[in-house]
Amino acid sequence: MALFSKLFSKLRSGSISEQDWDEIERALIESDLGAAAAAEVVATAKRNRGSDSQAEVIAILTSWLSSTTRTLNLATDRTTTILVVGVNGTGKTTSVAKLANFLTKSGKTVSVAAADTFRAGAIDQLQTWGTRLGIPVIAGAAQADPASVAFDAISQAQKSGVEILIVDTAGRLHTKSGLMDELGKIRRVIEKSSPVDEVLLVVDATTGQNGIAQSKVFAESVNVTGLIVTKMDGSASGGIALAIERQTGLPIKFVGYGEGATDLRPFDAATYIEGLVS
Amino acid sequence: MFDSLSVKFSSAFSSLRKKGRLKAEDLNEICDEIRVALLDSDVSLDVAEEFISKIRTRSLEVLPDINKGINPSQQIFEIINEELIEILGGNARRIRFAKNPPTVILLTGLQGAGKTSLAGKLAKYLKDQGNTPILVASDLQRPNAVTQLQIVGESIGVPVFAPSPGNGVGDPIEVARAGVKFAKEKMHNMVIVDTAGRLGVDLELMKQAKSIRDAINPQEVLFVVDAMIGQDAVVTAKAFMEGVGFDAVVLTKLDGDARGGAALSIAKATGRPIMFAATGEKVEDFDLFYPDRMASRILGMGDVQTLAEQAKKAFDSETSSKLETKFASGEDFTLDDFLDQLQAMKKMGSMTKMLGMLPGMNSSAMKKQLENFDEGELVRTQAIVQSMTPAERNDPKILNGSRRARIALGSGRAVSEINSLVDRFSQAQKMMKQLRNSGGRGLPAGMGLPSGMALPGGMGQGMGFPSGKSSGNMPPKKKSKSGNPAKRAAEGA
């Protein structure tokens, strides 16, 4: 969006017109920030505008970010459990593999549990990743009860003294209450033997306003602790993630930007906000 | 599906309806409301604005005329409906078949749009229509996408052509080419080629997709898109349009509460119709996309046509003609007939989904009711009836206390539930008699559920809503309507 750099040079020079503000609003709407939020940014920026309008817009967007810590909550004296959830097709399995790789590289021992027993081939997909990355995958049978797979996985991980267990789950639409209950069950069953330290919701950067409903329902069902925003290497700038952060307070912890094992990095606020407005 | 959009349209229109005569300012007001509704529904900014300006112009032109008519707001409504249908892709189009089989269908789209699942659904759909489809596994990128397709193919009994193991090994162009050749040799009349997900900005993969296209020369290139996609939809769709080119759009994950507005703009921005819609996790959750139906759904007019079609599918003609004969001959409607109907209703799918298709279901109060609907009621009612002996089903009058206690034990329900089912059943029977005596017109084909027939607890009075839990905030006008969805549709029209 060259439009934005052009606008911001105008913003800086202070010669910004009503029409320019309008274009800023349009650009924010097109980032999936939401129509009302975009209007709010512009209204607030207009009101607060000091000498630097660009800084003002960025400051407003930054102030909407969650103040919760973005580092993973890792236990030191037992196996840490990370549950990965989300709607279908957002990239959960790929994110699990990348996260496992990221944590292994930072010196932890990691196992992953293939508790997506629903989608055809999901277990194989994770196992292929496991072989590629040299990370043990604990899997049950296809169509098995995911909670029991998760339970076996945590028992096995504890026995072998693995530091971190990442549990992949089947994609589910947040409107299917039966499936959301199943997710709650997976969590409860794991908690019978060990606390769940992180529940990461995977959100596709191309998602529109439906992302808000998704995150609210998931947060309610499994007590989500943070977000992984995927597919940030595409043309979508993922404004919905900021909208989610603002409305739910859930921090974006990781960003996925490719299909490779290393295409995952911890969230960086400055890069992200810049991506929204540049 | 498109729910929020319908809710917003409903509220915009209810304020408009209150006004008798319309002024130009009223139009501006409603146009602003519709703009926000469209944007919140992920319709792209440009498409939303173009839509609004068209509505505004058309409405202003006819304003003097429509104010002469009896119901001005109704006519504005019509304009919006027409324009929506246009955005949604005009008239639905079917798959173009090749003059010399096989007909080749190529699936493209972003990662995670649901191409592989859709390949299975499409194959099942085509197979059910008497075709002999074969699936070709050209997604060699995503780990075990090939395995996934093979499992899907096996479950629906459609062969899968998968010479390359995938996981980054093999050439998708060669696989596609060989797949079509194989299909020709084996006399398959349709080939569905699944490809890897790719980003619109990835020029190299776009080039690859184009090479696949050129290698197999498909009759239809389908762009598969997640109904939850946001403003990026138009950017991505245009990138695919330029990079590969596509002939029609398939919307997936429409069973969520995604407003799906972006998909509407894809059709508008690329000029390609939406051909199919995937609406659930199961392979049969797939249908043609009907723009007119979707438009009425968005406007809160309900999707009665789909409902009627699903009913027709579920109530086989044998069951309904049996019922009609029974009704005409003056025989009593028995619990066995009722059981048949319950089973047919279960075949129609989730009640919540079915009820959601009815007109007027878009207000938030109705939404709550639908959410609270307990699908289990159907199963429990069935259990009660199935715990009765044939004699009891034929003549519920013989149900004395001890029989009822036995049924309660057998079905695992309380005796009071048995009582209320029997009570309501005999009321319904009485009503059927009255109906017949008043010159009964027979049951509409395929829709055998008599008015007032009630399932205990769940399907309460007439309308079939959870009666116990929430009838308090139910709009009264709904209650007076017929319990027969087909009849109600006629009333509502």
Side-chain angles (χ1 to χ4, degrees), chain A residues 1 10-11 37 54 61 69 79 90 99 139 152 155 175-176 207-208 233-234 242 246-247:
Chain A
M1 263 187 271
K10 277 195 194 171
L11 279 171
Q54 176 182 18
L61 293 173
T69 173
T79 302
T90 51
L99 185 59
D152 289 347
S155 313
T175 49
K176 310 260 158 107
T207 309
D233 49 334
L242 178 56
R246 188 185 184 207
Q247 294 215 13

Side-chain angles (χ1 to χ4, degrees), chain B residues 45-117:
Chain B
L45 189 57
D46 291 337
V47 172
E49 287 182 344
E50 197 186 325
F51 181 77
I52 296 302
S53 83
K54 219 169 187 179
I55 298 293
R56 187 178 280 131
T57 328
R58 274 192 66 183
S59 308
L60 275 175
E61 269 169 26
V62 293
L63 198 59
D65 282 340
I66 62 179
N67 268 332
K68 277 183 215 145
I70 13 174
N71 194 347
S73 61
Q74 183 60 36
Q75 299 186 44
I76 305 275
F77 191 86
E78 288 298 322
I79 293 174
I80 294 175
N81 190 28
E82 279 172 35
E83 294 292 334
L84 260 182
I85 292 177
E86 201 192 309
I87 283 199
L88 285 160
N91 291 318
R93 183 171 73 75
R94 302 296 169 94
I95 283 186
R96 281 188 294 251
F97 286 86
K99 284 203 189 85
N100 303 313
T103 300
V104 181
I105 301 172
L106 177 66
L107 304 179
T108 60
L110 292 173
Q111 289 95 339
K115 284 177 298 302
T116 308
S117 302

Side-chain angles (χ1 to χ4, degrees), chain B residues 324-386:
Chain B
E324 270 182 68
T325 327
K326 210 164 202 186
F327 186 79
S329 70
E331 241 181 286
D332 263 342
F333 177 77
T334 68
L335 277 164
D336 259 328
D337 303 326
F338 176 48
L339 195 60
D340 280 347
Q341 294 193 337
L342 276 184
Q343 269 149 1
M345 278 170 76
K346 269 173 68 184
K347 262 195 265 168
M348 285 166 72
S350 115
M351 277 316 278
T352 330
K353 212 156 144 188
M354 304 297 303
L355 292 172
M357 291 181 195
L358 293 173
M361 285 298 137
N362 291 309
S363 65
S364 40
M366 278 296 167
K367 282 272 147 60
K368 275 253 161 61
Q369 298 243 343
L370 281 184
E371 271 163 28
N372 288 335
F373 184 80
D374 183 1
E375 301 275 349
E377 278 304 329
L378 225 53
V379 181
R380 289 192 278 273
T381 309
Q382 204 178 337
I384 295 178
V385 181
Q386 280 171 334

Side-chain angles (χ1 to χ4, degrees), chain A residues 26 88 128 174 176 206 231, chain B residues 49 111 144 253 255 257:
Chain A
R26 296 177 69 90
N88 315 63
T128 303
H174 53 288
K176 310 260 158 107
T206 59
K231 307 185 199 174
Chain B
E49 287 182 344
Q111 289 95 339
N144 292 82
K253 307 179 206 172
D255 47 329
D257 57 357

Side-chain angles (χ1 to χ4, degrees), chain A residues 137-148:
Chain A
V137 176
I138 307 167
Q143 311 301 324
D145 176 18
S148 89

